[in-house]
Amino acid sequence: MRKTLVITLAVAILGIVSLYAHKRDNATPITATTPKSTSVLSTTANSGSSTYHDGTYSGSDVQTLYGEVEVQAIISGGNITDIQFLKMPDEHGHSSEITSMAAPILKQETLDAQSSNIDFVSGATSTFDGYKQSLQAALDKAAGA
Amino acid sequence: MGMPISLDIPDTKDPEVFKEAFRELRIVDEQFSPYKPTSELALFRTGKLKPEQVSIGMKEIMKACLEAEELTDGFFSARFDGSFDPSGYVKGWALHEIGQKLRLKGHETFCISAGGDVWASSSGDKTWNIAIQDPEHRSQTVGVISVKNMAVATSGNYERGNHIINPKTGEPAEYFACLTVAGPDIIAADILATAAYAMGKPGLKFIDGQPGYEVLAIDDKKIIYASTGMKALLEAT
């Protein structure tokens, strides 16, 4: 049951995200690639159990015992090369135990603009009203802008 | 453009350099602001200026918007309900123009941002730390990349009133809370971020198919998707 659940999660993500990085020189900023909406879910789901190994899924306990788990799949060349479990803290206080099992690559930090060494922030802040609440505004203020 | 601009040029304290940059941005705003009733855009939209009467600059923007629409299969578009609004394109374009002018003047190290787009440029040792904003907790970040030359554009609907519409459904695009594209060119990054966001899930694959561009996206379940290159950028910090 546990293994099935994890595979379901992984397969769902594999279907959604199949990313690979090809570093090539780009002559034009945007290529004429048109987005394809074909789903790869049906082909990769049946690619055999070799894509998934028991050891990778030792975190699967998290799903049943500790509530909702965030799964982050990094996929390279159509294969899952990395899975990170990022945990939302739950009311049982198990979050610290779980995050020590996985090493989240994306850190959520409360920023003190004075002490941060962040220069600029990219976010979907497009209006002046949004800017006022934004981290960029705090940074600009800290810089004396 | 209705949005604040932040500009950092470490190698100069000359206020004129900054004033000139902001002057140029004001000129862009005078021409393209959808909020100013006297802007060329407003005059065109209200029919006071006919298509054949608009400036060469406006024609170039219109052409660029159509090209972006074609290249993104309509997921980036400056046409809404029969009306023309190039604001999404002008934002990245204005940053591009300012940055290019700075470079021509010998200021090759700078960082400029507007409306959540950031263009970092460095010809020396300077490394810029660019954070990606957490869509839910706006004073927090989901990661930082340290770069010398990188354009970063983020699209999202978490800013009230900022709705990107999926042109196929006519509904606001809502699969991701936000989507960030990083790459060499700010105009392209901006267009790609907008288009990919509007696409929803297929947007990730779309960006990955663009050589030199990386993507990070967060969905409404807080699942984070990152291309291999973006992951490397985030982990390097």
Side-chain angles (χ1 to χ4, degrees):
Chain A
M1 179 60 192
R2 182 193 312 159
K3 185 173 174 189
T4 306
L5 178 64
V6 172
I7 286 174
T8 303
L9 282 171
V11 163
I13 289 163
L14 186 63
I16 292 165
V17 178
S18 177
L19 301 172
Y20 51 91
H22 287 320
K23 298 292 179 196
R24 303 196 291 259
D25 290 331
N26 52 322
T28 52
I30 305 174
T31 65
T33 310
T34 51
K36 296 178 181 58
S37 55
T38 52
S39 166
V40 297
L41 184 62
S42 55
T43 55
T44 52
N46 298 321
S47 63
S49 57
S50 57
T51 310
Y52 311 109
H53 301 283
D54 282 345
T56 309
Y57 302 94
S58 59
S60 61
D61 280 332
V62 171
Q63 178 66 29
T64 54
L65 292 177
Y66 297 114
E68 193 174 8
V69 177
E70 300 170 7
V71 177
Q72 177 187 304
I74 308 296
I75 298 171
S76 181
N79 299 308
I80 300 175
T81 58
D82 198 5
I83 288 189
Q84 310 266 0
F85 291 91
L86 307 178
K87 173 72 172 77
M88 294 298 286
D90 69 0
E91 65 274 17
H92 304 298
H94 291 300
S95 56
S96 57
E97 205 175 317
I98 289 149
T99 52
S100 66
M101 284 166 56
I105 64 159
L106 295 171
K107 301 169 274 250
Q108 292 217 333
E109 311 161 15
T110 303
L111 277 191
D112 176 352
Q114 254 76 38
S115 62
S116 75
N117 54 7
I118 290 173
D119 297 309
F120 280 77
V121 181
S122 179
T125 307
S126 69
T127 66
F128 187 72
D129 286 337
Y131 169 81
K132 281 191 279 193
Q133 300 167 46
S134 78
L135 183 52
Q136 188 63 57
L139 292 176
D140 287 350
K141 208 169 163 189
Chain B
M1 291 184 288
M3 66 191 77
I5 316 277
S6 301
L7 174 57
D8 190 350
I9 312 171
D11 65 13
T12 185
K13 286 186 172 39
D14 180 0
E16 261 312 304
V17 179
F18 293 88
K19 278 187 194 161
E20 178 60 27
F22 288 111
R23 243 190 320 260
E24 282 157 10
L25 288 161
R26 255 197 301 280
I27 291 170
V28 170
D29 196 44
E30 293 293 333
Q31 187 178 11
F32 293 105
S33 172
Y35 308 114
K36 292 190 160 82
T38 53
S39 72
E40 185 182 6
L41 178 67
L43 295 176
F44 171 71
R45 287 185 347 164
T46 54
K48 296 190 180 71
L49 266 181
K50 302 213 181 3
E52 59 270 19
Q53 290 173 314
V54 300
S55 66
I56 292 174
M58 179 65 77
K59 284 196 181 110
E60 282 174 359
I61 293 293
M62 286 170 164
K63 181 162 168 270
C65 286
L66 278 174
E67 282 168 2
E69 191 178 309
E70 271 168 57
L71 287 171
T72 61
D73 196 28
F75 284 95
F76 175 94
S77 176
R79 302 189 284 169
F80 308 98
D81 297 327
S83 184
F84 175 66
D85 185 358
S87 303
Y89 181 87
V90 168
K91 180 170 69 173
W93 172 77
L95 292 181
H96 183 258
E97 292 291 294
I98 300 305
Q100 293 290 73
K101 287 194 167 85
L102 285 172
R103 281 180 170 175
L104 286 172
K105 290 188 191 129
H107 303 290
E108 293 178 337
T109 299
F110 60 83
C111 195
I112 186 167
S113 83
D117 281 5
V118 180
W119 182 16
S121 173
S122 172
S123 66
D125 294 330
K126 175 71 183 176
T127 298
W128 297 101
N129 295 322
I130 314 295
I132 297 170
Q133 189 178 39
D134 183 337
E136 194 177 336
H137 309 288
R138 316 245 217 107
S139 63
Q140 297 178 6
T141 75
V142 294
V144 180
I145 60 175
S146 289
V147 293
K148 285 190 185 287
N149 291 286
M150 190 70 74
V152 185
T154 297
S155 278
N157 274 346
Y158 58 88
E159 169 84 1
R160 204 184 316 175
N162 173 30
H163 282 295
I164 295 175
I165 306 293
N166 181 325
K168 309 301 180 189
T169 65
E171 297 295 317
E174 304 217 310
Y175 186 80
F176 292 121
C178 65
L179 183 145
T180 298
V181 171
D185 181 85
I186 186 66
I187 297 177
D190 204 325
I191 290 169
L192 291 173
T194 303
Y197 184 86
M199 290 173 190
K201 289 187 276 182
L204 295 168
K205 206 164 175 184
F206 172 63
I207 301 302
D208 200 59
Q210 305 300 324
Y213 289 84
E214 306 296 338
V215 61
L216 177 145
I218 305 174
D219 72 11
D220 56 1
K221 294 182 173 56
K222 304 280 272 184
I223 295 181
I224 302 166
Y225 303 85
S227 58
T228 312
M230 180 66 89
K231 187 191 174 200
L233 282 170
L234 289 161
E235 288 184 327
T237 307

